[in-house]
């Protein structure tokens, strides 16, 4: 395995290359993760699927890759991956995306030629929101307007940032201000409209106990993507491939070698 970097529009993107062959695989991890999270896929392909070169990518703002200087959406992340493939001469790759990486895989494969797609506990369906969520959002928006008038801009911003970090998810709380803004933008993007444009064979791997991207999302994707099949693992959560590595390896090898 070789560790490399590439410059894309001023961003240093870290990635690894392993295996050797004429067919190419792009691995894209979930939010707050890195190339290390996708090691199981990398190892399985290089040992059980001959003829593949595997590119495991640290997405912008993750791992050893640079953080964007502006608020990225899924379109921006997808353009980075499109430029990555063009610069390296990668044609018709297999895309494997977990969670956030699945969003990029969906948009990329809806408008570019790909060999196959594997979506693992993928995001892409806008989450359903409860009344509690909307109360929290609108209370927060009101606070952003009122607090600066009551305590001054600097102190108000400190209070707002503390509230936002405490009220948000663990991913949100751990992120930098820029990455928090990016997460807020990306999590609300709904990709259902582009799913019917994916023409490549698509494998959905899901944990039946996933609460971040529930089985409901998997069934929506299976219905909307024309050539999609779903494999679900009982008792597994959002990292189903780590909860059940044995079955993941078997399903992955069978799909790529078929």
């Amino acid at each position: 395995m070789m560790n490399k970097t590439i410059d894309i529009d001023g961003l240093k993107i870290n990635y690894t290359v392993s295996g050797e062959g004429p067919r190419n695989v792009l691995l894209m991890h979930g939010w707050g993760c890195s190339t290390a999270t996708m090691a199981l896929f990398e190892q399985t392909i290089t040992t059980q699927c001959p003829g593949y070169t595997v590119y495991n990518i640290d997405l912008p703002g993750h791992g050893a890759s640079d953080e964007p200087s502006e608020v990225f959406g899924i379109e921006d992340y997808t353009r980075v991956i499109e430029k990555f493939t063009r610069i390296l001469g990668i044609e018709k790759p297999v895309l494997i995306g977990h969670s956030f990486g699945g969003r990029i895989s969906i948009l990329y494969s809806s408008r570019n030629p790909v060999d196959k797609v594997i979506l693992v506990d993928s995001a892409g369906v806008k989450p359903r929101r409860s009344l509690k969520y909307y109360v929290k959002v609108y209370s927060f928006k009101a606070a952003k307007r009122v607090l600066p008038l009551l305590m001054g801009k600097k102190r108000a911003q400190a209070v707002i940032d503390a509230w936002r970090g405490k009220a948000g998810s663990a991913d949100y709380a751990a992120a930098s201000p820029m990455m928090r803004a990016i997460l807020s933008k990306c999590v609300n993007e709904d990709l259902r409209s582009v799913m019917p444009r994916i023409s490549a064979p698509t494998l959905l791997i899901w944990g039946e106990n996933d609460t971040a991207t529930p089985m409901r999302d998997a069934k929506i994707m299976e219905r909307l993507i024309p050539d999609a099949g779903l494999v679900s693992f009982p008792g597994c959560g959002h990292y189903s491939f780590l909860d059940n590595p044995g079955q993941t390896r078997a399903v992955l090898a069978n799909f790529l070698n078929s």
Side-chain angles (χ1 to χ4, degrees):
M1 181 177 70
M2 294 182 289
N3 200 80
K4 298 188 174 187
T5 61
I6 187 172
D7 185 282
I8 299 178
D9 294 337
L11 288 176
K12 183 190 74 176
I13 303 299
N14 179 71
Y15 67 101
T16 65
V17 183
S18 57
E20 188 175 354
R23 303 173 77 183
N24 299 293
V25 179
L26 302 185
L27 302 180
M28 289 175 280
H29 57 76
W31 186 269
C33 298
S34 68
T35 56
T37 314
M38 305 298 282
L40 181 141
F41 296 100
E42 190 172 17
Q43 293 164 0
T44 301
I45 297 168
T46 55
T47 58
Q48 298 183 33
C49 306
Y52 284 96
T53 300
V54 182
Y55 298 84
N56 192 357
I57 305 165
D58 273 338
L59 297 171
H62 298 80
S65 291
D66 287 345
E67 183 176 293
S69 59
E70 58 188 42
V71 180
F72 268 23
I74 298 304
E75 174 67 33
D76 302 288
Y77 274 97
T78 303
R79 284 178 182 169
V80 167
I81 299 303
E82 288 171 337
K83 290 178 181 179
F84 180 91
T85 57
R86 284 201 297 271
I87 292 169
L88 296 180
I90 298 170
E91 297 181 354
K92 205 175 180 182
V94 173
L95 302 182
I96 302 179
H98 171 244
S99 193
F100 179 72
R103 287 182 178 275
I104 303 167
S105 300
I106 289 167
L107 188 55
Y108 183 105
S109 59
S110 73
R111 65 193 195 195
N112 294 284
V114 299
D115 186 10
K116 295 179 179 181
V117 182
I118 302 176
L119 302 175
V120 186
D121 301 296
S122 176
V125 176
K126 187 175 181 178
R128 287 179 175 174
R129 302 305 192 187
S130 65
L131 176 60
K132 183 179 178 182
Y133 168 83
Y134 286 109
V135 169
K136 183 191 297 182
V137 168
Y138 288 117
S139 296
F140 177 72
K141 288 183 176 180
K144 283 181 71 177
R145 289 179 176 272
V146 174
L147 287 181
L149 301 176
L150 298 178
M151 58 180 63
K153 288 185 179 181
K154 188 173 181 180
R155 189 178 170 202
Q157 189 60 51
V159 172
I160 289 167
D161 287 344
W163 181 14
R164 179 160 39 194
K166 186 177 180 181
S169 67
D171 284 342
Y172 189 90
S176 69
M178 175 58 74
M179 295 308 290
R180 286 182 182 185
I182 290 173
L183 177 58
S184 295
K185 181 175 182 178
C186 292
V187 77
N188 288 307
E189 294 187 39
D190 197 324
L191 299 175
R192 277 179 286 188
S193 64
V194 305
M195 292 177 189
R197 302 178 203 161
I198 300 174
S199 59
T202 302
L203 172 65
L204 308 173
I205 299 177
W206 234 266
E208 292 183 5
N209 293 349
D210 189 342
T211 56
T213 53
M215 282 293 298
R216 177 185 70 88
D217 293 3
K219 291 175 181 178
I220 289 172
M221 292 183 191
E222 184 182 27
R223 175 170 55 84
L224 292 178
I225 298 172
D227 189 8
L230 172 62
V231 175
S232 62
F233 297 155
C236 295
H238 189 55
Y239 291 82
S240 59
F241 60 102
L242 299 180
D243 293 338
N244 194 338
Q247 271 194 279
T248 299
R249 290 180 185 274
V251 169
L252 176 66
N254 181 67
F255 185 65
L256 291 185
N257 290 330
S258 63

